[in-house]
Every structure is written in structure tokens, then in C-alpha cells.
Amino acid sequence: MKGISEAITVVFLILITLIAITVVSLYYLHTITLNQLSLTQEIKDQYIDAGQLLSLVYYQQKGNSSYFYVVNIGNIPINISQIYVNSIPVKFIIYNSTTTHISVLYPQLVYVILVYTNTTSIVIKTTNNNLIQIGA
């Protein structure tokens, strides 16, 4: 009786090793992806808790002006000191359905940020020097 040749045995061992490496690699890649997602969510939750997160609801451009409809989805008010477009301060007005010239965005309310330039992206500087980017 003849046994399995040495060449076939080596091929089977290499195949089994490659399968094992693939299974272990897939497991660790899956684990790393889950950890990254949870870290991203944790950072987002911290921004929400800090009250420094705005969500863009609607964007509109009329003439030479851009309108950003935003809502503060954090827990505390955001006090705005300046708005920038391409690192340049621009003129702006913030208003809602009842008040104009607002500088404090309270949670869960929709505000309109009117920027007197054509743009799809703004950077908001808060009074505590945090920067919030909004893009359409």
C-alpha cells in the first residue's frame, strides 16, 4: 500500500494554513471595523452632549446669498461669534420664524443662517472658539 505523497501533503498543509490565516484575518478586520464605528459614535455623542453639533436641514441659494437651515441637535445652546467662508469672515444674519439677528442657537429649534455670498459650505466659530463646519 502506498501513502499520500509528500508533495500532496505539503500542498494540503499550505492550504489549511492559508484558510486559517484568512479566518483569523477576517475576524480581526471585523472587530477593528466595529471598534472604529463605536469610536465614531462615541465622539459624535460627546459633541451632542457638549451642544456643539448642528445638523443641516435644508440649503437654498437666492441671488448672491446662501441660506442654511440648521438645527442644534445638542443639549446646550450654541453661541455664534463669527461665520467664515474659505477662511474669510463674511456678513451673516441668523433668524427663525419669530426673531431676527439671533446669535444663540437653542437646542431642537430650526434656524436660518443667511450668508451674503454664494457658497455651499460655511464654518461657524462659537464664543468658546469651537469651529463647526456646515456643508450642503
Side-chain angles (χ1 to χ4, degrees):
M1 252 195 194
K2 289 188 171 187
I4 301 175
S5 74
E6 292 175 7
I8 294 176
T9 304
V10 170
V11 170
F12 278 131
L13 287 175
I14 291 174
L15 185 61
I16 290 171
T17 304
L18 289 175
I19 291 171
I21 290 172
T22 302
V23 169
V24 170
S25 298
L26 288 175
Y27 171 76
Y28 281 111
L29 286 175
H30 179 70
T31 303
I32 289 170
T33 302
L34 289 178
N35 287 340
Q36 286 176 341
L37 289 174
S38 65
L39 180 61
T40 303
Q41 185 61 42
E42 184 178 334
I43 291 170
K44 184 177 178 182
D45 290 343
Q46 287 176 354
Y47 277 125
I48 291 172
D49 291 341
Q52 299 297 312
L53 189 61
L54 290 175
S55 178
L56 181 66
V57 178
Y58 182 71
Y59 168 79
Q60 183 179 24
Q61 208 167 34
K62 288 183 183 176
N64 292 330
S65 301
S66 301
Y67 295 80
F68 295 85
Y69 295 75
V70 298
V71 61
N72 176 358
I73 58 174
N75 294 327
I76 60 174
I78 297 174
N79 198 347
I80 296 176
S81 62
Q82 185 61 53
I83 294 181
Y84 299 91
V85 173
N86 298 325
S87 302
I88 300 170
V90 294
K91 291 183 180 181
F92 67 94
I93 294 178
I94 302 173
Y95 61 92
N96 62 15
S97 60
T98 59
T99 311
T100 58
H101 298 287
I102 297 170
S103 63
V104 179
L105 307 181
Y106 292 97
Q108 309 307 319
L109 297 174
V110 176
Y111 295 93
V112 179
I113 300 174
L114 167 58
V115 179
Y116 293 106
T117 186
N118 286 332
T119 184
T120 58
S121 178
I122 58 174
V123 175
I124 298 169
K125 181 179 179 183
T126 65
T127 54
N128 51 352
N129 292 324
N130 290 335
L131 298 175
I132 304 169
Q133 184 171 3
I134 300 290

